[in-house]
């Protein structure tokens, strides 16, 4: 039976590995070899990666792919995508090429407002609290000036601080609801530092505020933290073309356009479908978010919350046919950055941003929204025409063949074979076994 360990973080990397493989794996020697196989031979680079997090024992690789030919507001991009799922990059590339020939993607940043809150409890007179807030507001700004100075010089900073009464939800609960402009930074550290400073000033000033009684002076700060729900940090991307240009394989253009609109409408009204529909969108979004070193958990949380903002989880994309024009669009919140965090540290992230022509945060918001829209177009187009498995299994074929231990020659023969045949898992295994047996 395994026992808890004290001071794991103090062990050397080698000792951590020895401990984990001997206590939690069946084949410690093999496990250790696997972990070490993923170390980078460049010790400087390895050290950099070791220091991103704590208790590092190895690196976890994901493929980095490129989806070229994205025409966004008349500028051509090649999108770096970090993702493990076969067919995502191929689908994105296919959608990019399709819309390249039809005017490309048009995007707009609707807003860039970030949010943070100081949550506190106060059980006294609410009018006195409002008066105190008016009194303390200039001091909140003044005492945070050392944090906001540089951001302000660049045109950002604190946009507003509001007192919000949340006592109808929870007795005694109030907030300082604060909005920020963080320009090209995602801004999490900036926002949290401001909020913690606000909380400290707020508490200190309350203790000496003469109109408060003893209980009111003792208001309790619960926590100070940014909100990942950023419905005003919003971007829109769209594509459109005359329906008669919507030519896909054997599909009749209007019938295809109507099928697309119907599929999106189903995702709008049916949460089970909406979740999968949006998952497909996130295939594109997360891949670019990861490649550019942004926080995909924050992006996921924000986007899914936005998808249910009207009380029911719904599609993030929309589509219509109007006056003979097919329109397809997405609107999503994206609080992301192109400076700070991993963006200056991770060599591949830096390179990904260079490939994207060093975008500002606003430009990256637009690129990411396009990745989501393109991915959704490709997925829904497959779903309403050939079905998803045809394309997906073609791309997944190599994974199956690798699992089966196929040689380069076998992979070649079977890839050719499955250009003409449906590549289900069992069909691939059967064809592989047949080929192997015929060779032996
Ligand atoms: C698979 O990763 C994504 C899809 O399920 C998305 C969708 O159904 O729209 C194909």
């Amino acid at each position: 039976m395994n026992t808890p360990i004290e001071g794991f973080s103090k062990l050397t990397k080698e000792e951590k590995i020895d401990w984990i493989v001997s206590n939690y794996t069946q084949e410690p020697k093999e496990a250790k070899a696997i972990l070490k196989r993923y170390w980078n031979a460049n010790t400087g680079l390895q050290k950099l990666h070791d220091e991103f997090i704590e208790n590092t024992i190895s690196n976890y690789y994901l493929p980095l792919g490129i989806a070229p030919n994205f025409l966004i507001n008349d500028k051509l991009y090649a999108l770096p995508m970090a993702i493990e799922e076969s067919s995502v990059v191929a689908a994105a590339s296919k959608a990019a090429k399709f819309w390249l020939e039809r005017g490309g993607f048009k995007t707009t940043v609707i807003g860039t407002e970030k949010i943070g809150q100081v949550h506190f409890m106060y059980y006294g007179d609410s009018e006195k609290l409002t008066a105190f807030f008016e009194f303390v507001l200039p001091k909140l700004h003044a005492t945070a000036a050392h944090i906001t100075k540089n951001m302000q010089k660049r045109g950002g900073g604190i946009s507003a601080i509001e007192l919000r009464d949340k006592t109808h939800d929870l007795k005694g609960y109030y907030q300082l609801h604060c909005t920020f402009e963080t320009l090209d930074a995602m801004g999490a550290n900036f926002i949290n530092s401001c909020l913690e400073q606000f909380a400290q000033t707020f508490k200190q000033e309350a203790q000496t505020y003469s109109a408060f009684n003893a209980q009111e002076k003792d208001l309790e700060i619960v926590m100070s933290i940014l909100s990942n729900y950023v419905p005003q940090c919003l971007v829109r991307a769209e594509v459109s073309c005359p329906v008669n240009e919507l030519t896909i394989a054997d599909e009749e253009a209007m019938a295809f356009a109507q099928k697309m609109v119907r599929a999106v409408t189903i995702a709008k009204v049916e949460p089970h479908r909406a979740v999968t529909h949006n998952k497909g969108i996130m295939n594109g979004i997360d891949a670019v978010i990861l490649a550019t070193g942004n926080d995909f958990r924050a992006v996921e949380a924000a986007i899914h919350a936005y998808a249910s903002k009207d009380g029911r989880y719904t599609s993030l994309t929309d589509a219509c046919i109007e006056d003979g024009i097919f329109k397809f669009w997405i609107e999503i919140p994206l609080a992301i950055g192109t400076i700070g965090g991993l963006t200056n540290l991770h060599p591949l992230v830096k390179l990904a941003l260079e490939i994207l022509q060093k975008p500002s945060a606003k430009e990256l918001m637009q690129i990411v929204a396009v990745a989501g829209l393109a991915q959704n177009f490709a997925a829904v187009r497959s779903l309403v025409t050939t079905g998803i498995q045809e394309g997906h299994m073609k791309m997944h074929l190599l994974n199956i063949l690798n699992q089966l231990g196929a040689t380069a020659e076998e992979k070649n023969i079977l890839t050719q074979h499955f250009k003409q045949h449906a590549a289900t898992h069992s069909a691939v295994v059967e064809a592989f076994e047949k080929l192997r047996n015929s060779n032996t």
Side-chain angles (χ1 to χ4, degrees):
M1 210 186 67
N2 292 319
T3 50
I5 181 168
E6 282 287 329
F8 181 72
S9 65
K10 309 237 160 38
L11 300 181
T12 64
K13 187 170 164 183
E14 200 77 29
E15 287 167 341
K16 284 181 186 123
I17 292 178
D18 286 338
W19 181 82
I20 191 77
V21 297
S22 56
N23 284 286
Y24 285 90
T25 72
Q26 303 286 330
E27 305 279 353
K29 258 177 120 176
E30 173 60 10
K32 190 168 177 173
I34 293 173
L35 289 171
K36 290 198 165 182
R37 208 173 297 147
Y38 282 87
W39 285 7
N40 199 294
N42 177 329
T43 50
L45 192 62
Q46 186 52 57
K47 189 162 182 297
L48 181 75
H49 283 262
D50 285 350
E51 290 175 359
F52 283 158
I53 61 162
E54 309 75 38
N55 298 343
T56 317
I57 53 172
S58 190
N59 307 306
Y60 184 93
Y61 290 2
L62 279 183
L64 178 68
I66 290 288
N69 297 323
F70 273 91
L71 187 65
I72 306 176
N73 297 339
D74 301 321
K75 192 169 161 187
L76 207 51
Y77 292 89
L79 269 47
M81 302 178 86
I83 188 155
E84 86 301 345
E85 185 175 330
S86 37
S87 81
V88 168
V89 177
S93 309
K94 203 168 155 188
K97 186 90 187 302
F98 182 86
W99 287 106
L100 174 70
E101 289 151 13
R102 290 162 181 81
F105 296 83
K106 302 285 178 245
T107 58
T108 347
V109 171
I110 298 168
T112 56
E113 180 189 276
K114 313 268 171 66
I115 295 169
Q117 298 168 319
V118 177
H119 306 265
F120 68 96
M121 308 308 282
Y122 168 87
Y123 299 97
D125 181 316
S126 72
E127 278 176 21
K128 273 204 254 171
L129 182 65
T130 307
F132 170 66
F133 174 71
E134 296 303 334
F135 159 78
V136 85
L137 187 58
K139 291 179 199 266
L140 296 180
H141 282 280
T143 52
H146 65 288
I147 306 167
T148 58
K149 201 168 74 194
N150 286 339
M151 187 68 88
Q152 232 163 341
K153 262 194 227 149
R154 302 201 306 270
I158 304 161
S159 311
I161 308 175
E162 243 180 74
L163 173 68
R164 288 198 175 172
D165 181 340
K166 307 291 284 183
T167 52
H168 50 280
D169 292 324
L170 180 65
K171 188 167 178 268
Y173 173 32
Y174 292 84
Q175 296 170 344
L176 296 180
H177 182 93
C178 314
T179 49
F180 301 86
E181 171 54 62
T182 62
L183 306 169
D184 285 336
M186 190 255 184
N189 286 331
F190 171 76
I191 293 173
N192 289 335
S193 299
C194 287
L195 294 171
E196 288 185 5
Q197 181 62 59
F198 296 161
Q200 195 188 333
T201 307
F202 200 71
K203 173 84 186 158
Q204 260 169 12
E205 292 293 326
Q207 278 162 351
T208 53
Y209 188 60
S210 57
F212 276 164
N213 63 31
Q215 189 212 27
E216 290 162 342
K217 282 186 170 136
D218 201 26
L219 59 81
E220 181 199 348
I221 304 289
V222 180
M223 57 191 160
S224 311
I225 188 73
L226 67 75
S227 169
N228 287 119
Y229 186 48
V230 279
Q232 307 301 334
C233 191
L234 210 56
V235 57
R236 179 186 160 99
E238 66 176 73
V239 284
S240 65
C241 73
V243 169
N244 60 14
E245 288 178 19
L246 216 55
T247 41
I248 308 261
D250 303 334
E251 297 286 322
E252 196 274 309
M254 181 52 92
F256 171 66
Q258 285 168 342
K259 280 197 223 172
M260 289 292 291
V261 173
R262 203 174 310 120
V264 173
T265 312
I266 288 173
K268 286 179 66 145
V269 300
E270 214 291 301
H272 281 89
R273 174 57 203 148
V275 171
T276 317
H277 180 92
N278 290 347
K279 188 275 180 188
I281 294 171
M282 299 315 292
N283 280 344
I285 291 179
D286 281 342
V288 180
I289 288 292
L290 265 177
T292 56
N294 274 283
D295 179 342
F296 62 92
R297 287 86 56 209
V299 166
E300 285 274 349
I303 291 184
H304 294 297
Y306 189 75
S308 21
K309 71 178 189 321
D310 297 323
R312 180 169 71 170
Y313 190 91
T314 187
S315 165
L316 294 160
T317 54
D318 212 333
C320 71
I321 303 167
E322 254 172 32
D323 302 328
I325 306 287
F326 170 77
K327 286 191 196 158
F328 185 54
W329 69 96
I330 188 168
E331 210 176 88
I332 42 166
L334 278 173
I336 54 179
T338 52
I339 59 167
L342 268 199
T343 55
N344 304 332
L345 270 180
H346 195 304
L348 271 180
V349 166
K350 272 203 231 171
L351 185 66
L353 288 168
E354 188 184 336
I355 291 171
L356 289 173
Q357 301 163 54
K358 302 208 169 114
S360 64
K362 276 184 173 175
E363 283 163 340
L364 188 59
M365 285 168 79
Q366 298 171 74
I367 294 166
V368 170
V370 163
L373 185 67
Q375 208 68 48
N376 187 232
F377 179 79
V380 177
R381 158 179 153 162
S382 295
L383 288 169
V384 301
T385 55
T386 58
I388 204 73
Q389 284 307 81
E390 185 184 286
H392 185 76
M393 289 311 285
K394 284 228 161 85
M395 296 299 163
H396 192 51
L397 179 61
L398 271 185
N399 289 342
I400 304 176
L401 292 175
N402 282 334
Q403 269 168 26
L404 293 169
T407 62
E409 197 196 337
E410 285 167 339
K411 282 187 210 167
N412 219 340
I413 296 171
L414 291 169
T415 312
Q416 289 307 321
H417 171 81
F418 281 107
K419 282 194 174 144
Q420 264 86 48
H421 298 87
T424 63
H425 189 273
S426 54
V428 176
V429 175
E430 199 180 308
F432 168 76
E433 282 172 354
K434 206 163 146 198
L435 179 66
R436 215 3 109 84
N437 292 338
S438 72
N439 287 340
T440 51

